[in-house]
Amino acid sequence: MKKPTTSIVFTGDILDFFTDSAMEFLTAQLNRLPIPYLFVMGNHDSIFAPTGEEKTRQRFAHLCGGNTEVQKFKLGELAFIGIDNARDRYTESGLRQLLAALEGEKYAILCQHIPLSTPEYHVDAMEKANRDLGLGGDGVCVDDSWKVVIGLIEAEDSPVKALFCGDCHRDHQSMLGKA
C-alpha cells in the first residue's frame, strides 16, 4: 500500500449543534475521504452537545482515532499532532499525551481549536471582534495549562514548527517561539 502524501486537518466546529443524524452524515462523509485526516474537537462540537463532556467525547472518539484528547498522524518526517482545548483549557491527561506524542519528533505541527493569545492576536482580535478568545495572555484563562504549551513551543529544541488553529474565524498569523 502506498504511503499517503497528503492529509486533511480539521480544527473543530465541524458540527454547530450535535444531533445523531448530523453525526451519521458527518461520519459517512469522512469515511468517504480517500486520504487520512486528523480531527480535533471544537467548542461547538463539545460544549453545545446535549450531553456531558464524557458522553460527548465517546460520541466523537471514532472521528479522533479513538482518543479525543490527542491524535497524531505522520507524513514522512512531519508529525501532525492534535490536542483538544475546546473547553478553554488543556487537560492534564492531554498535556501528558502531547509530551509523549512529541517525543522523538524532529518536525511537528500542533493542531488545536482555540488559538493561543499572542500580542499580535490580541490586537487583531480586539480590533475585529472586540474580544480576545485566545488562550492565555490577554485572552481566556480558565487555568494556566496554556503556559505548558507555550513553553513546549518556545523551547530551544522544540519540534513544533507551526500551530494550526480554528475558532478565530479569520486569517491570522503570529510568530511563536524564536523566528
Side-chain angles (χ1 to χ4, degrees):
M1 176 194 259
K2 186 178 176 183
K3 288 187 178 182
T5 57
T6 59
S7 181
I8 298 174
V9 174
F10 296 99
T11 55
D13 288 356
I14 202 163
L15 295 177
D16 210 10
F17 293 95
F18 183 93
T19 64
D20 289 332
S21 61
M23 180 58 86
E24 289 169 14
F25 176 80
L26 173 62
T27 300
Q29 299 312 304
L30 291 177
N31 286 340
R32 292 180 56 207
L33 290 174
I35 59 175
Y37 66 88
L38 183 131
F39 175 76
V40 179
M41 290 174 52
N43 59 317
H44 287 242
D45 303 315
S46 61
I47 293 173
F48 299 128
T51 59
E53 182 175 358
E54 188 56 38
K55 179 69 172 173
T56 300
R57 286 188 183 283
Q58 290 171 6
R59 287 181 162 171
F60 278 90
H62 69 284
L63 300 179
C64 302
N67 184 347
T68 59
E69 286 189 292
V70 174
Q71 306 83 47
K72 181 176 180 177
F73 179 80
K74 294 212 37 169
L75 288 176
E77 290 188 47
L78 180 61
F80 288 86
I81 302 172
I83 184 166
D84 176 28
N85 71 350
R87 294 180 181 261
D88 297 329
R89 62 171 164 66
Y90 303 92
T91 65
E92 286 183 35
S93 171
L95 291 172
R96 281 192 307 275
Q97 291 177 61
L98 174 61
L99 287 169
L102 287 169
E103 187 75 28
E105 295 299 341
K106 188 173 180 182
Y107 307 105
I109 295 177
L110 189 58
C111 306
Q112 60 187 38
H113 184 61
I114 300 172
L116 292 169
S117 182
T118 63
E120 299 89 358
Y121 180 82
H122 179 72
V123 168
D124 186 47
M126 295 307 288
E127 287 175 359
K128 293 180 179 160
N130 203 31
R131 60 190 179 147
D132 182 347
L133 295 177
L135 286 186
D138 292 316
V140 179
C141 301
V142 172
D143 60 23
D144 286 341
S145 60
W146 62 275
K147 291 179 180 179
V148 174
V149 175
I150 284 283
L152 288 171
I153 292 169
E154 292 180 340
E156 187 71 36
D157 60 347
S158 176
V160 178
K161 306 303 179 196
L163 177 64
F164 291 171
C165 305
D167 201 48
C168 62
H169 303 273
R170 64 188 164 278
D171 181 33
H172 178 81
Q173 295 179 14
S174 291
M175 293 302 295
L176 293 171
K178 298 184 184 336

